[in-house]
Amino acid sequence: MAEKKYYDLPELVRQYLYYLITIKNRSKRTADAYAIDLRNFFRFYKIHKSLVNDDAEFSSILINDIEIDLIKTVTLLDVYEYLHFAMEQNNNAAKARARKVSSLRGFFKYLTVNLRILKENPVEHLEMPSLKKTMPKYLSVSESKELLHNKSESNSPTKFRDYCILTLFLNCGMRLSELVGVNLEDIKIEPGSLKLLGKGNKERIVFLNNACKTSIDNYIKNERNIIKVIKDKKALFLSSRTGKRIGARQVQKIVQAALRDAGLDGKGYSPHKLRHTAATLLYQYGHVDILVLKELLGHVNVGTTEIYTHVANDMIKDAVFKNPLADEKILSNKSNKNK
């Protein structure tokens, strides 16, 4: 329960986290991440304001006694110093610091706009750290086929389940949390659709191609239906040992084992990279419009989806070489011998 994780936080922080979950409908996972960030900020702030001994262990600093009077003293400079502390002492990269900025922005906006107990928001003009845009890592078509083929030929007692998991990742581009949350009632084999619960508890529908429909049907008939004791009757993917819904960590292990068996380990691939693979292949070979891809992946902003346009360079290059004049001989630059 939330109380067990949030009991050590200041009362206003606890209120904010419950507000995120119950009113803003944010996921428990998001609230837990914000709790970590705000906990660390206020521990730092007590050190920064000399409210604890210099030799105090950071993780043991109590902050549930912090009240609004102290919170009102926070300035933008204090936050900059905290982000510097996070970078230097905790080796937080830009992405991790960006989440901390989001946590602090949300909390102080809540105090200023919702509760109106702050006249001015000290972090109103706090900018996000610049994030380096990197190309998404993804499997090639041949690697994807090898991954699936190798799993289909395995002697694993959970072969059908694991193959189905790989197939859905590679075809539907779902998140890890979305896959483990799939229930039987979410699946419509005919005409072929699947309801997913994404970030922020937002529902979306993805469509199932023949490969997905067949793999789901085979898993249910050959493995799921013969589990002796099923404890989570709604869940699609179950642990064959416990009969409970499969967890995210177990799926990660399944994917890593499948990659290793297919000779694809050591390349940085993961469940999230399989999602990247699905998105890239859809964009490259399915000629999916970027806005359509945004909806399929459940992105809030199209800017997030635009990382997949990296394949456009290959498509442009291919188009140039298909030009009917591409093989015409170039005029020689040698001097005309008749002159």
Side-chain angles (χ1 to χ4, degrees), residues 8-64:
D8 64 326
L9 293 168
E11 182 180 351
L12 285 170
V13 176
R14 294 201 304 273
Q15 287 182 19
Y16 170 61
L17 296 174
Y18 294 139
Y19 163 77
L20 288 180
I21 296 170
T22 60
I23 305 301
K24 300 298 287 183
N25 208 27
R26 295 292 180 86
S27 70
K28 183 68 167 51
R29 186 176 179 181
T30 296
D32 288 347
Y34 278 26
I36 293 171
D37 294 336
L38 293 170
R39 181 181 290 112
N40 287 339
F41 171 73
F42 283 110
R43 283 174 175 166
F44 163 81
Y45 198 60
K46 273 201 161 184
I47 296 173
H48 186 56
K49 291 295 182 180
S50 301
L51 298 176
V52 293
N53 295 329
D54 293 339
D55 59 350
E57 185 178 348
F58 189 81
S59 61
S60 300
I61 296 174
L62 298 178
I63 57 171
N64 55 6

Side-chain angles (χ1 to χ4, degrees), residues 55-251:
D55 59 350
E57 185 178 348
F58 189 81
S59 61
S60 300
I61 296 174
L62 298 178
I63 57 171
N64 55 6
D65 59 341
I66 289 178
E67 297 182 351
I68 188 60
D69 288 343
L70 182 61
I71 294 175
K72 284 181 177 179
T73 66
V74 174
T75 67
L76 184 58
L77 179 59
D78 294 327
V79 175
Y80 284 147
E81 293 197 37
Y82 166 62
L83 294 174
H84 183 265
F85 168 83
M87 180 177 66
E88 293 295 324
Q89 300 298 321
N90 297 334
N91 295 317
N92 282 176
K95 188 174 182 180
R97 299 197 306 278
R99 194 190 73 182
K100 287 173 169 54
V101 168
S102 295
S103 304
L104 290 165
R105 275 180 173 178
F107 175 62
F108 280 100
K109 181 181 178 182
Y110 172 73
L111 297 181
T112 308
V113 178
N114 295 81
L115 299 187
R116 298 184 179 182
I117 57 179
L118 290 183
K119 291 184 179 180
E120 293 184 3
N121 183 346
V123 298
E124 183 177 1
H125 301 295
L126 179 61
E127 298 179 32
M128 281 286 183
S130 298
L131 299 178
K132 181 181 178 181
K133 290 187 177 181
T134 57
M135 294 294 188
K137 187 183 290 291
Y138 62 96
L139 281 72
S140 66
V141 175
S142 60
E143 287 177 328
S144 301
K145 289 182 176 180
E146 179 60 27
L147 181 64
L148 291 169
H149 175 75
N150 189 272
K151 177 52 64 177
S152 70
E153 296 294 317
S154 75
N155 295 319
S156 169
T158 57
K159 173 176 70 175
F160 289 100
R161 182 197 65 188
D162 299 350
Y163 182 89
C164 185
I165 287 172
L166 296 173
T167 299
L168 292 181
F169 271 138
L170 289 169
N171 284 273
C172 300
M174 60 183 64
R175 299 180 178 92
L176 174 58
S177 60
E178 294 169 347
L179 181 131
V180 298
V182 172
N183 292 323
L184 290 173
E185 63 184 16
D186 298 329
I187 305 165
K188 300 289 185 266
I189 293 295
E190 294 301 335
S193 64
L194 175 62
K195 181 174 71 176
L196 297 176
L197 188 64
K199 285 187 175 180
N201 291 323
K202 294 179 180 178
E203 293 183 350
R204 74 178 188 281
I205 299 295
V206 297
F207 295 96
L208 303 173
N209 55 27
N210 289 333
C212 292
K213 289 190 287 186
T214 300
S215 65
I216 291 173
D217 189 54
N218 284 339
Y219 161 58
I220 292 175
K221 289 179 179 178
N222 294 291
E223 286 181 12
R224 191 189 185 282
N225 284 352
I226 63 174
I227 295 176
K228 292 181 179 180
V229 179
I230 296 179
K231 295 183 179 179
D232 290 329
K233 299 185 183 299
K234 290 184 177 181
L236 171 61
F237 292 114
L238 301 172
S239 165
S240 59
R241 183 176 57 85
T242 65
K244 295 181 179 180
R245 184 186 298 274
I246 197 170
R249 182 60 188 138
Q250 189 173 354
V251 173

